[in-house]
Amino acid sequence: MLEAALLTRAGRLTDATALLQRVLRGRTARDTTSDNIWKAANAPPERVPHIIDVVAKTIEVANPRPSLRTGQAFRSADPSLRPAGRAEGTARPHMPGALRSFLDRVERMGSAPGIGGVAHPSPAREPDVVPDGGQFVTGLYSNRTGSRTYKLYVPSGYCGQALPLVVMLHGCTQSPDDFAAGTRMNALAEERTCLVAYPAQAASANASKCWNWFNPGHQQRGQGEPSLIAGITRQVMRDYSVDPRRVYVAGLSAGAAAAVIMGITYPDLYAAIGAHSGLAGGAASDLRSAFAVMRQGAAMRRSGSAPGDGEYRWIVPTIVFHGDEDTTVHPRNGDQIIAQARANMTVGLQTRVQHGRVPGGHAYSRTLHADASGQAVLEQWVIHGAGHAWSGGSRAGSYTDPRGPDAAQEMLRFFLEHPHPRRSSVSTLSEAT
């Protein structure tokens, strides 16, 4: 059933119908492993051109208020740029009756098994992801690569002072609203007075809305998706008052792999990164190698050359979360993110391990890699018994496991402990690279 749903979302109605017919005839569905589901969801949709809209547009925000940096409010009535999860009046494509019946049953159920066997609810209505007094506004960024929309949470305590900025990269099939609901990062940002940006992957760039971390064209500074994510970060820094020493990036699954790439390629922009259920930078170079590394991990490799100097020339401080029963992205990948970071550091680190358990929830191991001053520059959480889901998340979003330690809270704590050691306003806001 999950495979048929993903095939339908990817626009592969013929394949979805054939699969349902086999199931209804009592035959065992073929190729229903998580690898093949992921492959089917990422195959090109039938008769849908892969075109990225590069036309610059402005955005309409409910009850817009002038930017405290520019004095201008976003305004547009373009319905194509509505916040994710609010596709009003969108018609379903024509599909066979059996397939329509199946989808209706899934919607009535309100939940479905997640990839890797993790239950993740599909809320009947859009979750409330905006704490009282805050704003969740929509923006658009464009460059020569293409365009991406994004959501930005502005806390009620923002009055023009320089705030930390956290960039959150969602996983496959997710949206900014869904990811915000599942991680509860907006609520934490309201408490700590931070800005949070959620770039949205376009279905035209990946049928399942995965960030293309496995494509070499999206692993380089100034190219592909890294240039778009960095561009969104810099645009927020221009439109709002942001402390350039406290800019961070985190993600889940494909978004975590993209976050690691951002730390490698833009160490001058991001002060620290967070990777939940992700993969090391450069772990794959095509779709085939992506499946291999997701199943079993890959040989650790150095992250390669990137701008920067001194102690964090190749990497930035990193916090990793991974469930040790993750069947979608092998837990070994979390180890390899840390190993890659350690291998590229020019200072020795001391390691200590702590153990704990969430009351009524999962046990965990927390490994701290500290520098000579005693500050942990790398931190790894292994959640025992957890699968492919955001630890400590809310059931209001997809791919969450409320029984784990709160990954969002721990990531934000780690981030705020690590301001960038040096920051140039020129390199931070430059669009050249």
Side-chain angles (χ1 to χ4, degrees):
M1 291 176 70
L2 174 59
E3 184 176 3
L6 288 175
L7 287 168
T8 302
R9 292 172 190 160
R12 300 170 61 87
L13 301 184
T14 301
D15 292 341
T17 301
L19 173 61
L20 286 174
Q21 288 172 343
R22 291 200 304 272
V23 174
L24 292 174
R25 287 197 299 267
R27 294 173 56 184
T28 301
R30 296 173 296 172
D31 298 325
T32 54
T33 65
S34 61
D35 284 345
N36 286 302
I37 291 172
W38 196 83
K39 183 185 296 183
N42 281 280
E46 295 175 348
R47 296 182 298 277
V48 178
H50 283 214
I51 299 174
I52 299 176
D53 178 16
V54 296
V55 179
K57 301 176 183 178
T58 54
I59 312 302
E60 180 179 26
V61 179
N63 301 317
R65 69 181 182 189
S67 164
L68 291 177
R69 185 182 280 276
T70 65
Q72 300 294 319
F74 295 113
R75 291 191 179 277
S76 172
D78 188 340
S80 70
L81 298 173
R82 293 183 185 278
R86 297 187 183 180
E88 300 175 3
T90 301
R92 269 186 185 169
H94 175 72
M95 62 184 72
L99 186 55
R100 182 181 296 278
S101 175
F102 160 75
L103 292 175
D104 288 342
R105 291 203 308 273
V106 171
E107 289 178 357
R108 287 196 299 270
M109 289 166 60
S111 64
I115 295 174
V118 178
H120 63 289
S122 298
R125 61 182 179 84
E126 181 183 341
D128 183 5
V129 295
V130 186
D132 290 344
Q135 287 189 314
F136 207 23
V137 300
T138 304
L140 174 71
Y141 173 78
S142 300
N143 66 13
R144 63 181 180 274
T145 296
S147 299
R148 293 295 184 274
T149 59
Y150 61 91
K151 300 293 290 286
L152 176 70
Y153 180 70
V154 183
S156 62
Y158 177 62
C159 300
Q161 74 276 33
L163 298 185
L165 169 63
V166 180
V167 178
M168 296 286 286
L169 303 176
H170 63 74
C172 298
T173 76
Q174 293 183 314
S175 68
D177 289 83
D178 179 24
F179 198 35
T183 61
R184 293 194 295 252
M185 188 59 83
N186 287 355
L188 291 170
E190 179 66 22
E191 293 175 6
R192 304 297 294 269
T193 317
C194 301
L195 297 162
V196 187
Y198 299 85
Q201 176 64 305
S204 56
N206 184 289
S208 204
K209 297 191 294 184
C210 305
W211 298 99
N212 293 296
W213 57 272
F214 51 87
N215 186 326
H218 300 293
Q219 297 173 356
Q220 303 296 320
R221 183 184 179 99
Q223 299 180 24
E225 290 168 3
S227 74
L228 291 166
I229 296 167
I232 288 171
T233 304
R234 289 164 171 156
Q235 181 163 291
V236 172
M237 295 174 74
R238 286 193 303 271
D239 292 343
Y240 293 81
S241 183
V242 173
D243 182 348
R245 297 187 65 225
R246 295 189 294 168
V247 178
Y248 311 98
V249 60
L252 170 66
S253 192
V260 173
I261 290 171
M262 296 308 295
I264 293 170
T265 55
Y266 291 90
D268 53 329
L269 182 59
Y270 300 104
I273 62 176
H276 199 311
S277 309
L279 304 98
S285 57
D286 54 27
L287 201 55
R288 181 183 296 274
S289 58
F291 292 133
V293 73
M294 288 171 67
R295 283 193 300 268
Q296 61 192 24
M300 191 276 294
R301 54 175 286 183
R302 294 179 71 88
S303 57
S305 178
D309 54 32
E311 186 171 329
Y312 303 117
R313 181 177 180 184
W314 306 114
I315 60 102
V316 295
T318 302
I319 181 170
V320 171
F321 277 77
H322 216 118
D324 66 3
E325 292 188 7
D326 189 335
T327 59
T328 300
V329 177
H330 195 285
R332 188 178 296 118
N333 288 287
D335 299 335
Q336 289 165 344
I337 295 173
I338 295 295
Q340 183 180 68
R342 286 202 63 146
N344 285 290
M345 294 196 75
T346 60
V347 296
L349 298 177
Q350 299 297 317
T351 300
R352 66 182 188 275
V353 181
Q354 302 172 347
H355 300 280
R357 178 182 291 275
V358 174
H362 292 302
Y364 59 85
S365 299
R366 178 190 181 204
T367 304
L368 304 173
H369 304 263
D371 60 18
S373 71
Q375 183 180 38
V377 293
L378 303 173
E379 187 169 323
Q380 182 180 14
W381 294 67
V382 176
I383 316 304
H384 304 302
H388 195 67
W390 186 274
S391 179
S394 167
R395 294 190 185 279
S398 63
Y399 301 107
T400 62
D401 184 350
R403 298 173 299 162
D406 192 333
Q409 180 171 285
E410 296 297 338
M411 283 188 183
L412 188 56
R413 182 265 311 160
F414 180 85
F415 289 164
L416 297 180
E417 290 174 354
H418 291 87
H420 202 286
R422 195 178 73 182
R423 176 66 74 198
S424 165
S425 59
V426 174
S427 64
T428 298
L429 296 178
S430 171
E431 292 288 351
T433 57

